[in-house]
Amino acid sequence: MAAALEAGALDAALETGRQLDALEKTDISYLSNGGVSVLPQPTESGKHGMCGLLETYIPQGDS
């Protein structure tokens, strides 16, 4: 499992590097893969987390 997490972190870091390189060249075409989501109200409010209070959501389709 640790190897999978490390591979995922490496993939994310490499993708960030590619995006920063593209941005330096004023190429923002990678942004066309983005999207916007609207979330309903949180399912729970005020839960304690590591850095304060959390607003928790159930992802769509996981209810």
Side-chain angles (χ1 to χ4, degrees), residues 9-56:
L10 177 59
D11 289 344
L14 292 173
E15 180 60 22
T16 298
R18 286 190 286 273
Q19 291 173 354
L20 290 172
D21 290 344
L23 187 59
E24 186 175 44
K25 298 172 188 167
T26 67
D27 174 9
I28 58 170
S29 61
Y30 68 91
L31 294 174
S32 65
N33 295 329
V36 175
S37 298
V38 176
L39 295 173
Q41 292 295 320
T43 53
E44 295 183 79
S45 295
K47 292 183 76 173
H48 291 279
M50 293 293 291
C51 298
L53 298 178
L54 301 175
E55 304 291 317
T56 58

